[in-house]
Amino acid sequence: MARKPQTYGKLSQDDGLKRRKQKADSDSEEVDESQLSERERAKKKWVKRLNWLWRKMTAAFWVSAACGLIWYTNFFRVMWESPLVNRTYFYLALACLTFNMTMLAYLAIWCTSVLKIDEPWETKHPKAIPVMAIVGFSSVWLFFFAFWPVWGLLTLVIQFVLFLGFVSAGHFLPSGTLGAILMFVIFFGAFFTSELIPHEGLAHYTPRPSMVGE
């Protein structure tokens, strides 16, 4: 019981140091701005705009690539229906993914929006990110082994593109709780895309007739 006040006091002190550092950084930036000429200020403004545009274009590319890949492979239909999927690895990977998504919902929505805790992954649950990183790394390889009989080496490309597409979607969503909720809507909504795709997938291996019969 005696350690709790000490811990919270340390967290408050760390928060204060962080805020002072951010204020010092912004103050130094304002000083730097005042020392620039009009031409240099305009140039700096255009560089910021171009960087913003480049980030949006890159994000749009990965979102488009992920959508195109889902349509071409009919990923979610093949994932659920193909007899080639290694179900043991698949269910283990799903368990890891469910754990991480539950932790994300807890940290990003419950702790941040309901409990009003700033950056709970740093203040209240500092071990959450390392644990989620280990679980996420495990899920990548479990999905790879599960889908290897279906797509072979293309599995790595699919995982990479879908991950970047999902992360990049955040560039086009509002910040705060609404943006976090919409990310979950996109994630779970993707599972139903197979209902909108008119083919069974154009990239996966075809199972042997004997396996279909089984």
Side-chain angles (χ1 to χ4, degrees):
M1 296 292 290
R3 290 184 181 179
K4 280 192 178 179
Q6 209 170 14
T7 305
Y8 288 123
K10 184 178 182 300
L11 292 175
S12 300
Q13 186 178 10
D14 290 344
D15 287 345
L17 289 171
K18 188 186 292 184
R19 290 193 190 96
R20 282 197 292 274
K21 185 178 183 301
Q22 289 173 347
K23 186 176 184 299
D25 290 343
S26 67
D27 288 345
S28 90
E29 190 176 343
E30 285 176 8
V31 170
D32 291 340
E33 288 272 351
S34 64
Q35 292 174 353
L36 295 175
S37 65
E38 191 66 32
R39 186 171 181 275
E40 289 173 329
R41 262 190 238 118
K43 181 181 175 182
K44 192 173 181 181
K45 188 182 294 185
W46 273 105
V47 168
K48 284 183 180 179
R49 288 175 180 173
L50 290 173
N51 286 338
W52 178 89
L53 181 62
W54 174 251
R55 286 194 298 270
K56 294 298 179 183
M57 288 174 62
T58 305
F61 168 79
W62 286 115
V63 171
S64 301
C67 292
L69 187 141
I70 289 172
W71 183 90
Y72 183 73
T73 61
N74 202 344
F75 177 78
F76 293 100
R77 179 171 181 175
V78 174
M79 179 181 78
W80 293 115
E81 298 181 2
S82 175
L84 295 177
V85 175
N86 187 311
R87 294 295 161 183
T88 302
Y89 288 124
F90 177 65
Y91 292 134
L92 287 172
L94 271 186
C96 291
L97 183 62
T98 301
F99 173 83
N100 270 2
M101 295 305 293
T102 303
M103 287 299 298
L104 277 175
Y106 172 72
L107 293 170
I109 297 177
W110 180 256
C111 288
T112 304
S113 303
V114 179
L115 300 182
K116 306 297 182 185
I117 300 173
D118 291 332
E119 299 180 347
W121 44 88
E122 290 186 3
T123 56
K124 189 176 182 182
H125 303 290
K127 294 180 180 178
I129 297 301
V131 171
M132 290 170 67
I134 293 170
V135 174
F137 182 78
S138 301
S139 69
V140 168
W141 288 106
L142 288 168
F143 275 126
F144 175 74
F145 293 132
F147 297 143
W148 171 264
V150 185
W151 288 292
L153 282 174
L154 185 61
T155 305
L156 289 175
V157 178
I158 291 172
Q159 288 179 291
F160 181 74
V161 173
L162 290 183
F163 172 75
L164 285 181
F166 176 69
V167 172
S168 299
H171 282 266
F172 307 101
L173 299 177
S175 58
T177 306
L178 180 60
I181 292 173
L182 288 175
M183 285 292 281
F184 283 96
V185 170
I186 291 171
F187 177 80
F188 290 108
F191 284 84
F192 299 96
T193 54
S194 59
E195 301 296 326
L196 306 174
I197 299 173
H199 55 78
E200 296 182 358
L202 306 173
H204 60 284
Y205 299 132
T206 304
R208 296 191 304 273
S210 58
M211 292 186 66
V212 177
E214 293 171 3

